[in-house]
Amino acid sequence: MVNSGGQLYTIEGVAAGLIMLLTAYLVVGATSVYTPGDAHISDMQLEVLGSDALAMMDTPPNSSVTESPLQQIIETDDGSRFRNLFLNYTNVSGYGPKHDIQFSASYTYEAPDTTITSPPINSSRNLTGGEHAVRVTKWVIVNKKLPPLSADPPENRAVLVEVHLWRD
Amino acid sequence: MARLNDDAQWIILMGFLVSFSLFFLALIINQSTVVGQSTAESVIEFPKNDIRDISHVIKEHAEKNGKIDDRVYHDIINLSIQREGAVVNYTLNTQYYQRLDVFNHSLIHYNNGVTTYSENWTSE
């Protein structure tokens, strides 16, 4: 004769087993993003920081100055001034808490023979290719001889300032 | 036949409640990483700074001269294609309102294959 005792225990056991299986399935599925999911979030923050720094550098400090610091930097090839301003604005130097950010900056122009050249401005460290860098850019209109050894007089040119920045 | 023991039913019920709440918490944790990643990805993918910057440089340039400098125009278009992967074009017209008020009217187009942006701008 079949013993029908303990049916409630059986049902409870089956229900508990199902819940445990489902939970295990969810937990195993949860960490299946193998590239660290928050890498993009810190990339985004770094990009915003770099864009803001470049935007500040492209703003004239007061109304009596017509050219922004960034324009002057490109026109006079003043790489060390770029370095000082950029590291200051990204909180690498200066007062307060510091960031460990490295940068490599260049500007791009088009020569009269339509070749495109990117001379370096300055960098805090060489790019070796292994860094996880983000790229921020800024358009600047400068009055400059491009290429620098050109025989033509300086004229208004649009150049693209490009900065790679990454954390150590 | 053994009599079904119906003691401790409240304890069993509470046990079910706790297991279900754990289940839903696991569901939330399961989704959270995906949500954070896809949000950050779409923010990175949208070229907000590129668009803002190209629009700014064109307007700044227009304010200075009131007409398109051919050299700057070609710089912007060629460098956009080569270095930003974006097709940019713009027109600029200086217009007169009753011979007294001069203003610039500009159409700016930007397309990087994912995002298309057009702006119709009139200076004061």
Side-chain angles (χ1 to χ4, degrees):
Chain A
M1 183 189 163
V2 178
N3 184 0
S4 63
Q7 289 190 345
L8 189 60
Y9 296 123
T10 311
I11 293 170
E12 188 191 343
V14 169
L18 278 180
I19 291 174
M20 283 191 287
L21 271 180
L22 274 172
T23 310
Y25 168 76
L26 282 175
V27 168
V28 169
T31 47
S32 63
V33 183
Y34 292 121
T35 52
D38 51 356
H40 296 270
I41 299 174
S42 57
D43 280 359
M44 183 185 78
Q45 291 170 337
L46 198 57
E47 210 176 291
V48 170
L49 182 70
S51 306
D52 286 351
L54 283 183
M56 284 167 74
M57 291 168 72
D58 195 32
T59 307
N62 56 57
S63 59
S64 63
V65 187
T66 53
E67 287 201 322
S68 70
L70 196 55
Q71 281 171 307
Q72 295 169 1
I73 286 166
I74 303 296
E75 284 173 2
T76 58
D77 287 314
D78 193 350
S80 58
R81 186 173 175 206
F82 183 93
R83 180 196 187 91
N84 288 338
L85 280 178
F86 193 80
L87 291 183
N88 205 352
Y89 288 158
T90 48
N91 274 343
V92 178
S93 61
Y95 301 104
K98 308 273 195 298
H99 285 167
D100 285 328
I101 295 176
Q102 308 287 342
F103 78 95
S104 170
S106 63
Y107 68 97
T108 305
Y109 66 88
E110 188 188 38
D113 60 352
T114 71
T115 55
I116 288 181
T117 321
S118 299
I121 299 174
N122 201 303
S123 60
S124 62
R125 187 169 291 177
N126 284 332
L127 261 177
T128 59
E131 295 86 0
H132 190 80
V134 298
R135 172 177 176 269
V136 292
T137 58
K138 186 84 192 157
W139 285 100
V140 184
I141 291 181
V142 293
N143 193 267
K144 186 178 168 70
K145 278 205 273 189
L146 287 172
L149 298 177
S150 157
D152 302 327
E155 56 178 342
N156 276 344
R157 300 295 305 264
V159 303
L160 186 67
V161 176
E162 304 178 45
V163 182
H164 285 94
L165 66 162
W166 66 94
R167 291 182 194 276
D168 268 338
Chain B
M1 195 177 105
R3 189 179 159 274
L4 198 60
N5 184 357
D6 57 358
D7 289 346
Q9 290 196 342
W10 272 110
I11 296 178
I12 293 173
L13 190 60
M14 289 303 129
F16 272 120
L17 281 184
V18 169
S19 346
F20 278 118
S21 52
L22 279 178
F23 177 81
F24 282 114
L25 283 181
L27 198 66
I28 290 171
I29 294 172
N30 182 290
Q31 295 299 313
S32 64
T33 324
V34 182
V35 170
Q37 191 193 14
S38 49
T39 309
E41 271 175 359
S42 44
V43 169
I44 287 179
E45 197 173 276
F46 182 70
K48 178 188 77 174
N49 285 315
D50 292 351
I51 290 176
R52 190 182 274 172
D53 196 23
I54 201 89
S55 158
H56 171 254
V57 78
I58 289 170
K59 288 170 193 168
E60 183 195 4
H61 174 52
E63 295 275 13
K64 268 183 189 162
N65 306 22
K67 64 177 171 48
I68 292 184
D69 183 326
D70 203 42
R71 189 64 252 180
V72 172
Y73 175 80
H74 283 103
D75 281 342
I76 289 178
I77 285 170
N78 292 343
L79 291 181
S80 284
I81 291 173
Q82 292 274 346
R83 305 296 301 180
E84 303 273 30
V87 179
V88 172
N89 199 1
Y90 65 97
T91 58
L92 181 66
N93 289 304
T94 306
Q95 297 185 348
Y96 298 89
Y97 178 71
Q98 294 183 344
R99 294 183 165 277
L100 292 172
D101 190 11
V102 187
F103 60 92
N104 293 319
H105 177 241
S106 177
L107 293 171
I108 301 169
H109 301 290
Y110 174 98
N111 186 345
N112 74 349
V114 178
T115 306
T116 308
Y117 173 84
S118 295
E119 180 173 346
N120 187 338
W121 173 69
T122 307
S123 73
E124 288 183 2

